[in-house]
């Protein structure tokens, strides 16, 4: 209804509908670990843009995220010690604001999503505050 798609973390402390004053049907919501832009996020947003007319994308990451400062190589080694190879990166990041900026840049530069707006913000899970991150 609002031609809006939201990319956010899967963390259940974030109630996106209440936070943004949305109702069912107002926006497409894509959630994953960290709310980072991955190939599957790009695939879903491309479908949202070209089949359903989405014009605006909002990236929301949050404080105290499990991927923030995650020792990715250590986790990968721990999992692989059981004999199973990890075929992907987990998407950890050292700087939360820069992670949001990078996701916004990726979306703005993605050729299949031209013509719309992309913004990013950080949600503080302790205060409930949502602060936009400048590009």
């Amino acid at each position: 209804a609002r031609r809006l798609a939201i990319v956010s973390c899967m963390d259940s402390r974030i109630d996106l509908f209440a936070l943004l004053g949305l109702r069912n049907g107002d926006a497409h919501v894509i959630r994953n670990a960290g709310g980072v832009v991955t190939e599957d996020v790009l695939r879903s947003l491309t479908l949202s843009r070209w089949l359903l007319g989405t014009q605006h994308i909002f990236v929301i990451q949050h404080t105290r995220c499990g991927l923030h400062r995650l020792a990715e190589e250590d986790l990968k080694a721990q999992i692989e010690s059981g004999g199973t190879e990890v075929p992907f990166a987990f998407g950890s990041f050292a700087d939360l604001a820069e992670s949001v900026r990078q996701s916004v840049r990726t979306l703005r530069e993605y050729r299949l999503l031209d013509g719309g707006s992309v913004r990013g913000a950080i949600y503080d899970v302790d205060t409930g505050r949502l602060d936009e991150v400048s590009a």
Side-chain angles (χ1 to χ4, degrees):
R2 296 188 185 196
R3 297 181 177 244
L4 171 67
I6 301 163
V7 177
S8 186
C9 186
M10 63 188 190
D11 192 307
S12 62
R13 293 174 290 182
I14 306 169
D15 183 349
L16 291 171
F17 286 83
L19 177 65
L20 301 173
L22 299 172
R23 295 178 311 182
N24 283 338
D26 280 349
H28 296 137
V29 177
I30 302 165
R31 297 181 85 146
N32 66 19
V36 296
V37 175
T38 61
E39 271 189 50
D40 195 56
V41 168
L42 294 171
R43 178 187 69 85
S44 294
L45 289 173
T46 299
L47 290 166
S48 180
R49 160 77 172 91
W50 290 100
L51 290 179
L52 302 166
T54 296
Q55 292 294 316
H56 312 285
I57 302 170
F58 197 19
V59 176
I60 301 175
Q61 294 182 8
H62 67 95
T63 59
R64 295 199 295 131
C65 180
L67 285 181
H68 189 201
R69 297 188 184 106
L70 171 74
E72 188 157 334
E73 291 305 315
D74 292 345
L75 178 58
K76 186 174 181 178
Q78 177 186 355
I79 294 168
E80 290 180 345
S81 71
T84 303
E85 182 181 341
V86 176
F88 49 79
F90 292 105
S92 63
F93 48 88
D95 182 316
L96 180 56
E98 183 53 34
S99 178
V100 172
R101 282 188 206 95
Q102 179 57 52
S103 288
V104 168
R105 275 193 302 271
T106 298
L107 293 170
R108 286 181 177 165
E109 294 170 2
Y110 191 63
R111 68 193 190 312
L112 297 177
L113 295 176
D114 63 334
S117 67
V118 181
R119 296 168 57 193
I122 295 173
Y123 174 70
D124 187 313
V125 297
D126 296 313
T127 66
R129 184 176 165 136
L130 184 66
D131 292 310
E132 189 162 4
V133 175
S134 63

